[in-house]
Amino acid sequence: MDNPQGLLPYVSSLLGTGSMVELSATALTSFALIAAAEIGDKSQLVCMTLASRHRPMPVMLGALAAFAVLNTLAVVFGVAIATWLPEYVVGVTVAILFAAFGIHALRAKADDDDEAVEEKSGHGIFFTTFVLLTVAEFGDKTQLAVVALSSVHVPAAVWLGATLALAATSALGIVAGRTILQKIPLVLLHRISGAFFLVLAVVAAYQAYVAYTGVQG
């Protein structure tokens, strides 16, 4: 890199600035949103399947590594979008994405989560888990949600909240298996997730409107 100093503003934008209250609120919002979206989703089913056949610790570590990498890519992309595009364009894009996620979640049916999870061969269960989850989650709705959140909120806090949420849902899948999900209807969880996404879509749309009127004014 010819100009290392040129990286400093970009790294600073990734870490973000803000009060502890703002950072905590962003992390908690990201945690709640991603956790609600991931309960019963493909990544949790992958962890359930692998943990039923192998030792749980390598599965958990492989899942953590995969989610850390995926969320890092998502946050970097989200910050890049926020840097290159006008604020109101980012806001409109985020609102549309969240609205689409919300509608999709509200329309989910009970049998939508019963798809089979195929376990592929690999050298070591850690590597198998890492590859399976990276492939399954790359470009998935939760990664796109992290992209969207990090484009309008403190990226480091979004990364922390999203990664902890994915780790928590994976741990639930590994430790409790399907017994926990049999007591809580997945359709209800999808409805809660969908409503949450729609609320955030309205907030993002309002922020886009404020940013647009500020530019015009």
Side-chain angles (χ1 to χ4, degrees):
M1 194 83 179
D2 294 333
N3 183 19
Q5 287 84 3
L7 284 175
L8 293 178
Y10 189 74
V11 172
S12 177
S13 66
L14 286 175
L15 296 177
T17 57
S19 66
M20 185 58 66
V21 173
E22 180 186 358
L23 296 175
S24 300
T26 299
L28 286 173
T29 299
S30 302
F31 181 92
L33 179 63
I34 301 302
E38 277 299 300
I39 287 291
D41 201 45
K42 188 181 299 181
S43 62
Q44 193 178 49
L45 297 179
V46 168
C47 290
M48 288 178 184
T49 302
L50 294 176
S52 68
R53 304 174 189 176
H54 304 282
R55 291 183 296 114
M57 186 56 68
V59 175
M60 189 67 213
L61 293 176
L64 280 173
F67 293 140
V69 170
L70 289 168
N71 286 339
T72 299
L73 292 174
V75 165
V76 170
F77 189 62
V79 171
I81 289 176
T83 302
W84 296 334
L85 296 177
E87 185 178 350
Y88 67 89
V89 174
V90 174
V92 169
T93 304
V94 170
I96 293 172
L97 279 174
F98 281 169
F101 296 155
I103 292 170
H104 180 268
L106 290 174
R107 295 179 62 185
K109 298 179 182 178
D111 56 356
D112 287 347
D113 300 285
D114 293 332
E115 56 182 295
V117 177
E118 178 184 356
E119 181 180 355
K120 302 177 182 179
S121 60
H123 298 288
I125 188 56
F126 173 89
F127 181 73
T128 301
T129 305
F130 179 84
V131 171
L132 276 175
L133 290 180
T134 300
V135 172
E137 290 296 307
F138 191 81
D140 194 52
K141 65 179 183 296
T142 49
Q143 193 182 34
L144 293 177
V146 174
V147 171
L149 285 169
S150 59
S151 68
V152 292
H153 296 291
V154 181
V158 172
W159 184 93
L160 179 62
T163 303
L164 289 176
L166 291 166
T169 55
S170 298
L172 275 178
I174 291 170
V175 175
R178 287 189 178 274
T179 55
I180 242 325
L181 296 179
Q182 288 172 353
K183 298 178 181 179
I184 305 175
L186 286 181
V187 173
L188 174 61
L189 293 173
H190 283 306
R191 297 291 185 270
I192 295 173
S193 172
F196 198 11
F197 271 119
L198 289 178
V199 169
L200 289 179
V202 172
V203 172
Y206 175 75
Q207 291 175 340
Y209 172 76
V210 171
Y212 180 75
T213 53
V215 171
Q216 296 301 311

